[in-house]
Amino acid sequence: KKRDVERGNHSLVKGNDRKGSRTRTNLEREKMAVCCPSTRVPALEDPSKYEKKGKIEEIEGVKAYIVGEPSKNAVFVIADVFGYDSGRHFGIADQLADEGYYVVMPDLFEGDRMTFADLGTPRLGEFIMKFKPNVWQPLADKIYAHLAAKGAQKIGAIGFCWGCWAIFHESSRGKLACGVNCHPSLRIESMMGGDVEALTEQVQAP
């Protein structure tokens, strides 16, 4: 028996022969599409076409993307090695601000960054080793001071790749109320001569 595949306004849904097959029209497919709730998370836009809602300012010499109204609840966004203005970082920060958080995403690499062409080259290891905690934590402290001045009482963080490793360090310093980690790269700790398990044991927030 042969599956029947129609190429007009109908498409085969199920069935092993012409007699048993069922079809669905384009109209029926459109009706099914509206089953998604209106409150669903919208599809992410192409980063190159995205219009950010916040603005880039300097906080005690640290360039940062700021969005949202000052609030007692703030979010510290820590980007990956490709930089805070790469990928969908702006869009994610904006979504958090839409939920009522005051969001700050600093450039902890101070203008430096990796590119996709750097992957698989010695540049990656050199970049990672350049930004040890004693380099970027003083910059992070300036962000905490800014958030406190804006009335933030609780600070959560969301990090991406390298940023997740940074969150573990910040949590071990007692700086965060909570942290969210997206594709974490905790083995960076091993690259710097540390112990990953020891770092995780020092975490003070969920």
Side-chain angles (χ1 to χ4, degrees):
K1 293 182 180 180
K2 187 177 181 181
R3 229 177 243 278
D4 181 19
V5 180
E6 298 182 23
R7 301 184 181 278
N9 290 328
H10 297 73
S11 62
L12 182 65
V13 177
K14 184 179 181 182
N16 291 327
D17 57 23
R18 188 179 299 274
K19 182 178 180 181
S21 67
R22 293 186 292 123
T23 60
R24 184 193 307 154
T25 65
N26 286 338
L27 179 59
E28 288 171 329
R29 286 198 298 271
E30 290 172 3
K31 287 181 179 179
M32 290 187 69
V34 301
C35 69
C36 295
S38 60
T39 55
R40 71 187 184 281
V41 175
L44 294 174
E45 295 186 45
D46 182 337
S48 65
K49 299 177 181 178
Y50 184 76
E51 295 185 10
K52 56 184 180 293
K53 300 177 181 179
K55 54 186 177 180
I56 296 174
E57 300 182 5
E58 282 201 5
I59 299 174
E60 296 295 321
V62 181
K63 189 174 290 186
Y65 179 68
I66 301 174
V67 62
E69 295 298 323
S71 165
K72 64 180 181 179
N73 296 315
V75 179
F76 188 162
V77 181
I78 308 180
D80 56 32
V81 295
F82 300 108
Y84 77 129
D85 56 356
S86 68
R88 293 191 167 94
H89 290 114
F90 289 142
I92 292 170
D94 289 349
Q95 285 184 323
L96 291 169
D98 287 342
E99 294 297 323
Y101 298 101
Y102 182 62
V103 184
V104 176
M105 178 170 59
D107 178 11
L108 296 180
F109 304 132
E110 297 187 288
D112 200 356
R113 69 191 57 232
M114 288 283 294
T115 68
F116 284 106
D118 293 326
L119 298 179
T121 72
R123 161 74 172 153
L124 177 57
E126 294 168 358
F127 183 89
I128 294 298
M129 296 304 294
K130 178 180 177 180
F131 294 100
K132 294 183 178 181
N134 67 319
V135 173
W136 55 264
Q137 283 181 335
L139 306 182
D141 287 339
K142 293 181 179 181
I143 303 304
Y144 297 128
H146 169 81
L147 294 175
K150 292 294 183 178
Q153 298 175 15
K154 289 186 177 181
I155 302 172
I158 179 171
F160 302 88
C161 200
W162 181 94
C164 302
W165 167 75
I167 283 180
F168 271 68
H169 273 275
E170 294 308 273
S171 180
S172 70
R173 293 206 293 158
K175 296 291 187 177
L176 305 172
C178 63
V180 174
N181 300 287
C182 304
H183 53 89
S185 292
L186 296 185
R187 64 177 181 174
I188 290 174
E189 188 68 10
S190 298
M191 293 175 64
M192 295 192 174
D195 182 271
V196 174
E197 289 190 12
L199 176 61
T200 61
E201 290 173 356
Q202 296 172 28
V203 169
Q204 300 179 35

